[in-house]
Amino acid sequence: MKILRATAFTIKKLPRQHRIALFSTCAVVAALTLWQPTSPLPQTASGQRTSIDIPLGALDVLSNQRHQEVSVAPTEPQPLTEENSEPLGAVFDQEDPEFLAPKDELEQQLAQVTDVAHTHKVEPGETLGAVFEQYGLPQADMYRLIAVNRSIQNLRVGQQLEWSVDEDGRVKELTIQRSAKLADSFTLTAKGYQFKQLEENGELKPVVLTGRISGSFYQSARAAGLNPSQIQTLVQALQWRFDFGREARKGDRFAVTVEREFIDGKAVSQGDVKALYYLSGRREVFIMRHDDGEFYDEEGRSLNRALRRYPLAKRYRISSSFNPQRLHPITGRTSPHHGTDFATPIGTPVLAAGDGVVVKASKHSLAGNFVVIKHGREYTTRYLHLHRLLVKVGDKVTMGQRIALSGNTGRSTGPHLHYELLKKNRAVNAMKVPLPQAAPVPNPMRGRFVQNAQNERQKLLAVMPG
């Protein structure tokens, strides 16, 4: 006891810096003494091992730094965190053919000749930053756009944003439709973004284009005068009702109304698609755009099929959020996380987010057992690190159907479900991005819409090719 008192007195006499150094050294020695790197992970009451996620790609760094870093085996289950729930080195290439839904001839034709246009309608309370976050657009691009014209931040409910991205994921063009006549346009050039305000000074007039299927729908529609963007609009609008890539047949007839802008009798725009009447044998397909920009059938019913936000029967804690700008905690480099991770125990039922077709059901060194489902032509969902697959390629699934059991396969160091939502082959934030809903035209406006739709249908039927 006298020795301890004497030691304590001696330490108290040391300068403060020396005392701190001495205590730090003692703590490191004690930790190294307790450190058991080969000890098994602790188990929960259910017998499952607790996971400690180490970022992939950091393993070599950690092994080289063991003489500097200290790790203590936990004595109780450790919660997954934003930094370690998903291995940070396992960045899944969004263009990896193993994960992509295969493209048919129509999709390949559209991809070759037109930039994919992404659209978003401003919701209450949304800011420009919120829109960029939902769709995984570079924050750096947003600040560059603001620097060019600060008015880009002034978004109003109902305004439509449309943009395209380049091969590097940068915003290539962005347009904000401020009103029926005015739009703000930003274009990426070699010198940076350029701003231009667009104004429609002409008169909008309907123009009807007609055609007959002689080869593919795409080629026949082009021959009738439709541009790739208009074809894409029709393909997307009817993705759940009529598949132009698989169901269009030689001899089918169609008529399309587009609204073009005219100045002094001359068309100055290609125009937006307003309505389509398509006749395939005895099958009739009619759609018309409403004031909200969405297409409906003749009775005002939605053409969409809804998607659920959560691919699970109940809410599980989100252990790692969607974050395309996520930084690797060791390297400091961007290590994107294109999905949402749910801390699910092994064996948790995984549900299809919507009606669709299974296009991938396989195993990958990083993703483990995984499933990819194509929902129409606009949306795709991915489910990774699964324990067991309950579906196979070609299966048609419905919303809420069990497709797999969650697991811990592939490059994963803890049980969880990695879930991705892709819109037009680009990852978006499944927890925040607006999802399609199968709602009809609102009751107060449905009567007028139905009457206008019936009149439009008769006009198109009258000019259909014989």
Side-chain angles (χ1 to χ4, degrees):
M1 184 67 70
K2 291 181 178 180
I3 295 175
L4 292 176
R5 282 199 294 266
T7 301
F9 180 79
T10 302
I11 293 174
K12 190 176 295 185
K13 290 291 186 180
L14 293 173
R16 183 170 180 272
Q17 294 87 344
H18 291 185
R19 293 201 306 272
I20 293 175
L22 179 61
F23 288 139
S24 299
T25 303
C26 292
V28 171
V29 172
L32 287 172
T33 303
L34 295 174
W35 184 35
Q36 300 177 14
T38 59
S39 299
L41 291 174
Q43 295 185 345
T44 63
S46 62
Q48 292 184 345
R49 293 179 184 267
T50 301
S51 65
I52 307 175
D53 288 354
I54 300 175
L56 298 179
L59 296 178
D60 293 337
V61 177
L62 290 175
S63 65
N64 293 332
Q65 295 180 348
R66 280 183 175 173
H67 65 285
Q68 298 177 353
E69 299 182 7
V70 178
S71 176
V72 180
T75 57
E76 60 181 8
Q78 300 297 304
L80 300 175
T81 67
E82 184 75 9
E83 289 74 29
N84 64 19
S85 64
E86 175 73 11
L88 293 181
V91 179
F92 303 111
D93 183 1
Q94 296 295 295
E95 299 300 323
D96 187 337
E98 289 197 58
F99 296 115
L100 287 177
K103 293 182 179 180
D104 59 20
E105 181 184 4
L106 177 57
E107 289 168 322
Q108 292 174 1
Q109 290 171 326
L110 288 170
Q112 291 175 359
V113 296
T114 183
D115 290 329
V116 176
H118 301 270
T119 59
H120 177 85
K121 183 178 293 185
V122 179
E123 300 289 338
E126 280 189 332
T127 63
L128 183 66
V131 175
F132 269 61
E133 191 277 333
Q134 290 175 37
Y135 295 92
L137 300 174
Q139 295 293 310
D141 284 357
M142 181 184 73
Y143 292 121
R144 293 186 184 102
L145 288 164
I146 293 173
V148 173
N149 192 310
R150 298 181 64 85
S151 68
I152 192 175
Q153 301 175 92
N154 303 327
L155 300 180
R156 294 183 179 180
V157 176
Q159 289 182 338
Q160 183 94 349
L161 277 72
E162 181 175 312
W163 67 90
S164 62
V165 296
D166 61 18
E167 295 179 353
D168 297 324
R170 293 198 61 188
V171 177
K172 184 178 178 181
E173 293 182 346
L174 185 146
T175 302
I176 305 175
Q177 195 66 44
R178 297 296 189 181
S179 66
K181 291 285 188 180
L182 294 175
D184 290 347
S185 174
F186 297 82
T187 304
L188 180 61
T189 68
K191 297 181 179 180
Y193 287 105
Q194 291 188 349
F195 169 76
K196 182 185 297 184
Q197 190 169 67
L198 307 177
E199 182 175 2
E200 292 184 356
N201 296 312
E203 180 183 2
L204 291 178
K205 294 182 180 180
V207 175
V208 176
L209 305 175
T210 63
R212 182 188 297 272
I213 305 298
S214 57
S216 68
F217 171 73
Y218 176 84
Q219 293 168 337
S220 301
R222 291 287 283 150
L226 292 166
N227 64 25
S229 178
Q230 292 164 339
I231 298 173
Q232 178 68 54
T233 296
L234 292 173
V235 169
Q236 181 177 315
L238 276 169
Q239 60 185 313
W240 296 109
R241 293 293 184 91
F242 189 85
D243 191 328
F244 286 111
R246 297 178 178 86
E247 298 182 78
R249 298 289 182 267
K250 185 177 181 179
D252 290 357
R253 297 169 288 159
F254 61 89
V256 181
T257 300
V258 297
E259 289 189 328
R260 289 179 175 170
E261 182 185 7
F262 286 82
I263 296 179
D264 297 330
K266 183 179 180 179
V268 294
S269 72
Q270 289 292 319
D272 295 327
V273 175
K274 178 183 177 183
L276 163 76
Y277 183 83
Y278 192 95
L279 186 60
S280 179
R282 295 183 178 181
R283 183 178 180 182
E284 295 179 287
V285 178
F286 174 82
I287 61 172
M288 192 174 85
R289 194 192 294 265
H290 183 44
D291 296 340
D292 61 3
E294 299 292 331
F295 285 92
Y296 300 86
D297 67 11
E298 189 175 352
E299 299 300 322
R301 293 173 296 216
S302 174
L303 304 175
N304 288 327
R305 290 189 185 177
L307 286 177
R308 60 188 298 160
R309 198 170 292 281
Y310 295 89
L312 300 159
K314 64 178 183 179
R315 300 285 181 90
Y316 285 87
R317 180 171 56 84
I318 294 177
S319 56
S320 188
S321 301
F322 176 86
N323 186 2
Q325 280 80 44
R326 184 176 65 169
L327 296 179
H328 197 294
I330 293 179
T331 66
R333 297 176 180 176
T334 300
S335 182
H337 190 245
H338 294 295
T340 302
D341 289 354
F342 298 94
T344 54
I346 293 176
T348 302
V350 178
L351 313 180
D355 297 354
V357 178
V358 178
V359 294
K360 299 279 185 177
S362 186
K363 188 173 184 177
H364 188 274
S365 60
L366 294 179
N369 299 322
F370 71 96
V371 171
V372 180
I373 299 177
K374 192 173 182 180
H375 309 274
R377 289 183 173 274
E378 188 176 9
Y379 292 93
T380 303
T381 52
R382 295 171 174 165
Y383 314 77
L384 280 56
H385 306 303
L386 304 171
H387 175 63
R388 181 184 302 169
L389 307 185
L390 304 179
V391 292
K392 61 183 183 301
V393 173
D395 285 354
K396 292 183 178 180
V397 297
T398 57
M399 179 193 291
Q401 178 180 332
R402 291 189 178 193
I403 58 171
L405 302 179
S406 70
N408 186 28
T409 58
R411 286 287 195 94
S412 169
T413 54
H416 72 286
L417 169 67
H418 175 98
Y419 170 64
E420 294 185 12
L421 173 66
L422 289 86
K423 184 177 182 182
K424 298 180 180 177
N425 290 323
R426 182 175 174 82
V428 297
N429 190 339
M431 299 298 102
K432 294 185 177 181
V433 73
L435 297 176
Q437 301 297 322
V441 173
N443 284 329
M445 295 173 272
R446 192 177 306 170
R448 180 173 61 85
F449 176 86
V450 170
Q451 182 61 52
N452 291 339
Q454 291 175 348
N455 294 337
E456 186 67 27
R457 178 182 176 278
Q458 291 301 319
K459 291 178 182 177
L460 294 178
L461 180 60
V463 296
M464 285 283 284

